[in-house]
Amino acid sequence: MSLRPPPDAHDRALLIGASAGGAMRLLQVVLSVLLVLVLTRSLPLAVYGVWAALGIVGSLVMFTSGIGARLCNEMANGREDEEERQRVFFAAFSVCARFCWAAGAVFLVAAPLIPWKSVLGQADPGLFQLAQRGFIAAVLLQAAGMPFVLGAYALRAFRRNVAAAAVSPLATAASLCLAVAFLRAGWRLPLLLAPFAAWNLVFLASFFLFIRSRGWRWRFVPLGEAWPLFRPLLADSLSFSLLGLCLSFLLSSVTFLTSRRLGYVSAGGLDVYVKIYLTALTGLNEIVQPLWPEYLRCLAADDRECLRRRLRSSLAVTAGLAALAAVAGALASPLLVRAISGRAIALPPGALALLGGWLLLAALTQALQMFLNACNSTRAQLAVAALLLLALPPASTRLMAAWGRNGMLGAMVLSLGLLLGVMAWRTRVELGRLEARTRPAGAPS
């Protein structure tokens, strides 16, 4: 009987990265609970619902996250020297910054022309003005800070997994501090914007931490110099960005879409439950994040056995932990919601079962997305995600009219189930391509 070989350096780095990611996410869980506890106990449930619905604006960060994903692939493959990596990184940042800041300026000018009643819904007219101002300011803050997201992805590319994992708990801690300060001052609008300001500050810090760790000197590259370097990354970057936007909206739109049809009180009550399940989902994602550069290493070496082993492990761990979290959520979330919010916010068993299904499907979707992104395989994902994105708002509105919040959750589960099926098919295709590429000449297919 053969003994299992001891873990090599790559396995140890992967284990350390996964463990650090899990520990950092556990810290974020504690901080997130404290944040929700403070807000739900200090605000009317409807105002908390406005704060929670604004979270959909955070999906915009996926635009530069998609570019960061492509940039991570480029810098992690080891084909460029340090000087070339530095040039590509600052070129990507300079192009992103120009686009995001220009888009923010255009949005500010166009904001009075946007049909806000159609965008936000009219279920809570008393909070409409606050929500409108909050959405405008949140978009502007998001546009200002989005280019600095590239630093967190660059940390991943160079296996600085602990530093990258620390971004989320630090941003949550900053959000908590700002929220407490604004609550004491009685400033409602700044309170709504606290998470966006906090994340911007932490992304800015991680950006300069990365360039300092590499010994690089920051520079804003002229467009004429930056564009030729960025252009080869453009097609894949756009695919990653659009896919990230679609997936983020699908995963984070529950509260926003609920508020449009059922109002901010209903949305706020559902959001406290969603936050519990979303915390589990982000924890699962953080645990498997270190696999991204590992997939790239296996692909560059045409190591199909390593690739399959990593993928099987990630799916098995993700499915098992997600199933356990879904069962634990169904049993414990009503008590947790009561303990956190100080309110008895009840959801029927059917809604809890749908939330568990949402968690399982979303976790598997994230695990497969990481593999497919490493393969630069985004087109099929993007096509299906975009169709689902267009279909979800009207479909959820009709289902909510018939079944209330259960209708919203049911629409989400159906959407993720369809997307997961397409991603599973694409995963088989990519594995088959690697099999064909590495098969010895003359070997049977």
Side-chain angles (χ1 to χ4, degrees):
M1 187 176 82
S2 61
L3 297 176
R4 185 181 181 89
D8 58 17
H10 289 296
D11 289 329
R12 288 194 296 271
L14 193 62
L15 179 61
I16 292 171
S19 301
M24 292 294 181
R25 190 59 67 180
L26 182 60
L27 175 60
Q28 190 190 13
V29 169
V30 176
L31 295 169
S32 297
V33 169
L34 288 175
L35 178 59
V36 175
L37 185 150
V38 168
L39 293 176
T40 53
R41 289 174 179 266
S42 304
L43 297 173
L45 190 57
V47 177
Y48 172 81
V50 177
W51 180 88
L54 271 176
I56 193 66
V57 177
S59 298
L60 295 176
V61 79
M62 297 310 299
F63 175 78
T64 44
S65 293
I67 296 171
R70 180 64 182 90
L71 191 63
C72 178
N73 286 3
E74 189 72 14
M75 293 195 298
N77 60 27
R79 290 194 293 269
E80 289 84 13
D81 59 24
E82 187 75 0
E83 181 65 25
E84 182 65 19
R85 286 170 170 167
Q86 180 178 352
R87 292 175 66 228
V88 170
F89 177 79
F90 285 125
F93 169 78
S94 300
V95 172
C96 285
R98 285 181 171 90
F99 178 85
C100 292
W101 296 340
V106 171
F107 173 80
L108 180 61
V109 173
L113 305 177
I114 296 174
W116 287 104
K117 290 185 178 179
S118 298
V119 174
L120 302 179
Q122 303 180 54
D124 270 322
L127 291 170
F128 178 79
Q129 291 297 326
L130 177 65
Q132 180 184 358
R133 293 196 300 270
F135 270 85
I136 292 173
V139 170
L140 294 175
L141 279 173
Q142 195 77 343
M146 279 163 52
F148 298 100
V149 173
L150 299 183
Y153 280 85
L155 288 169
R156 292 281 186 196
F158 289 95
R159 298 178 183 271
R160 297 290 302 274
N161 291 313
V162 176
V167 168
S168 293
L170 285 174
T172 307
S175 298
L176 177 60
C177 293
L178 289 177
V180 170
F182 294 146
L183 277 170
R184 289 181 175 177
W187 297 341
R188 288 207 302 179
L189 182 59
L191 174 62
L192 298 180
L193 303 175
F196 300 96
W199 280 88
N200 278 2
L201 291 172
V202 174
F203 278 133
L204 182 66
S206 68
F207 179 87
F208 285 103
L209 170 67
F210 166 71
I211 63 175
R212 183 175 180 179
S213 71
R214 304 304 302 175
W216 296 351
R217 184 175 181 180
W218 181 83
R219 63 188 294 254
F220 198 74
V221 184
L223 187 59
E225 179 185 342
W227 182 251
L229 293 170
F230 179 73
R231 186 169 52 193
L233 310 179
L234 180 62
D236 288 335
S237 293
L238 285 177
S239 296
F240 281 135
S241 297
L242 294 174
L243 176 61
L245 281 170
C246 293
L247 292 179
S248 181
F249 188 92
L250 288 172
L251 292 175
S252 63
S253 61
V254 174
T255 303
F256 173 71
L257 293 176
T258 302
S259 70
R260 295 180 73 247
R261 174 70 190 187
L262 303 178
Y264 289 113
V265 172
S266 183
L270 179 59
D271 182 78
V272 184
Y273 280 89
V274 171
K275 285 285 193 296
I276 294 172
Y277 285 82
L278 190 59
T279 298
L281 177 62
T282 51
L284 291 169
N285 184 56
E286 195 67 45
I287 289 172
V288 298
Q289 273 287 346
L291 283 170
W292 191 349
E294 192 67 12
Y295 285 145
L296 294 170
R297 185 184 70 83
C298 296
L299 287 166
D302 285 336
D303 189 345
R304 66 186 185 190
E305 293 303 322
C306 173
L307 194 68
R308 287 180 179 274
R309 185 172 69 252
R310 301 295 192 213
L311 180 59
R312 284 196 299 266
S313 298
S314 72
L315 293 176
V317 169
T318 297
L321 292 178
L324 287 174
V327 173
L331 296 175
S333 59
L335 297 176
L336 287 173
V337 168
R338 180 64 179 267
I340 293 170
S341 68
R343 294 181 171 97
I345 305 173
L347 281 186
L352 294 174
L354 288 169
L355 276 171
W358 172 84
L359 173 62
L360 177 60
L361 294 174
L364 291 173
T365 296
Q366 289 186 154
L368 288 183
Q369 184 197 6
M370 192 174 304
F371 170 78
L372 291 172
N373 284 357
C375 297
N376 288 329
S377 176
T378 59
R379 292 183 180 178
Q381 298 180 77
L382 176 57
V384 176
L387 289 174
L388 292 173
L389 179 61
L390 294 174
L392 180 60
S396 63
T397 297
R398 292 189 177 186
L399 291 175
M400 280 189 284
W403 295 296
R405 288 181 291 193
N406 280 17
M408 178 68 248
L409 295 172
M412 291 294 299
V413 168
L414 289 173
S415 298
L416 287 175
L418 291 171
L419 179 60
L420 183 61
V422 172
M423 294 176 75
W425 165 69
R426 283 304 307 174
T427 298
R428 290 178 60 87
V429 170
E430 292 299 327
L431 290 173
R433 286 180 178 176
L434 181 63
E435 182 87 17
R437 191 168 70 242
T438 57
R439 186 182 300 120
S445 59

